[in-house]
Amino acid sequence: MAIIRNEALHKQVAAAMRQSIATGEWPPGTQLPTETDLAEKYGVSRPTVRLAVAALRSEGLLDVKQGRGTFVRTTVHGPASAMERTVTVRGSQYETPADAWFGQGEEPTVYRTRTDAITGPLLGMDEGEAMFGCDRLITDPNGDGRALHRLLLPMEHVTGTPLAKEPGVTPTEAYAMLVAAGHNLAWRERVSARIPQPDERQALRLSEAAVLLVVHRVTYDQAAGLPLILEETRLGAETAALAYEIEAAKPKRATRAAKATR
């Protein structure tokens, strides 16, 4: 490798390795030579090779598999799974396209928790309010998609309903219980993205370059505008996508007070 002055050595090595991947010298799935072999190939030190590999990992070109080595990532042509976010009601029962995901994952873990700086505002509550939490790993039965799902049930909202005794239900079961308690339901969602934590990356089988999608769905009483429960779904953007069916909404009627000021 010809050394270029005034450019960091590890960047030059990374460029050469990137070229080897692009030209097919190292096809997807190929295990890279050892640090020692790469250092000899490019005429640099092992720490320089280590920095070059780290740069290509951050770009999503390489994966490091513990105990096995460093591999060229298989090209990803978009998410293999899509989680539909629609809700359908049939009589007193609710259905979502994601219901099948809940039949494929692990058993739920139910625990007691409290609202924090994120969940409190979404539920219209102060921090420190008591809740039931229900966590589970869910998977797409028709693809490789995996997601971490959390159902949060504020105790002041579920007291007196079957949810207080059965917090380990699926979302659609929770919807039906809230309707049976007299609520007229509606939903709103917020989607954000962040870098996954190590435990999230491991559970969802994500690469080190993956981005985590975080979806917060609030189920609320449509008449009162009262948030009732909160769902948090975390999934890797490289393996799963979110899909929405959107209908045009009619504008809300102006209140009498608003009309009087016109």
Side-chain angles (χ1 to χ4, degrees):
M1 183 184 74
I3 302 299
I4 302 173
R5 292 186 177 183
N6 301 323
E7 183 176 356
L9 264 182
H10 77 276
K11 292 184 178 180
Q12 297 180 52
V13 174
M17 294 174 68
R18 197 181 295 111
Q19 182 68 13
S20 294
I21 294 172
T23 59
E25 179 184 345
W26 293 334
T30 299
Q31 182 174 4
L32 263 60
T34 65
E35 278 187 2
T36 300
D37 290 339
L38 288 172
E40 184 177 344
K41 174 182 175 69
Y42 296 115
V44 296
S45 66
R46 289 178 61 186
T48 298
V49 168
R50 204 168 297 134
L51 289 173
V53 170
L56 296 184
R57 285 170 61 188
S58 68
E59 294 175 17
L61 293 177
L62 300 178
D63 266 337
V64 175
K65 300 181 180 179
Q66 188 127 15
R68 294 180 57 193
T70 302
F71 295 79
V72 179
R73 281 195 66 203
T74 302
T75 303
V76 177
H77 296 286
S81 301
M83 180 181 286
E84 297 279 347
R85 305 301 294 164
T86 54
V87 179
T88 303
V89 59
R90 301 181 191 278
S92 60
Q93 301 300 313
Y94 285 83
E95 301 173 0
T96 74
D99 289 346
W101 289 55
F102 286 84
Q104 305 294 319
E106 300 176 350
E107 289 297 313
T109 300
V110 178
Y111 55 95
R112 291 175 180 265
T113 186
R114 294 186 178 276
T115 53
D116 56 26
I118 295 175
T119 60
L122 289 170
L123 286 164
M125 303 173 70
D126 295 330
E127 291 186 41
E129 299 291 332
M131 297 189 295
F132 287 113
C134 177
D135 289 357
R136 64 184 98 202
L137 172 70
I138 58 177
T139 59
D140 181 3
N142 301 312
D144 297 326
R146 296 164 68 89
L148 295 169
H149 183 273
R150 174 169 293 163
L151 178 64
L152 296 174
L153 308 167
M155 291 188 184
E156 71 174 65
H157 296 166
V158 301
T159 299
T161 75
L163 282 172
K165 297 181 179 180
E166 302 177 56
V169 298
T170 65
T172 49
E173 290 170 338
Y175 302 161
M177 291 179 182
L178 290 172
V179 169
H183 295 289
N184 181 22
L185 302 184
W187 296 267
R188 56 175 172 261
E189 288 196 348
R190 185 181 74 179
V191 182
S192 58
R194 60 174 171 80
I195 301 300
Q197 298 294 325
D199 59 331
E200 295 171 327
R201 184 180 292 112
Q202 181 178 8
L204 298 176
R205 300 176 183 172
L206 303 176
S207 74
E208 295 195 3
V211 173
L212 192 73
L213 295 178
V214 183
V215 187
H216 286 109
R217 169 177 282 184
V218 177
T219 303
Y220 64 97
D221 184 288
Q222 194 167 13
L226 175 68
L228 299 170
I229 61 175
L230 174 65
E231 297 172 60
E232 180 187 83
T233 304
R234 290 164 285 164
L235 64 167
E238 67 182 5
T239 56
L242 302 170
Y244 294 87
E245 182 177 321
I246 301 173
E247 297 181 359
K250 295 181 180 179
K252 296 180 179 180
R253 293 181 178 179
T255 62
R256 291 182 180 178
K259 290 179 180 180
T261 60
R262 292 180 182 173

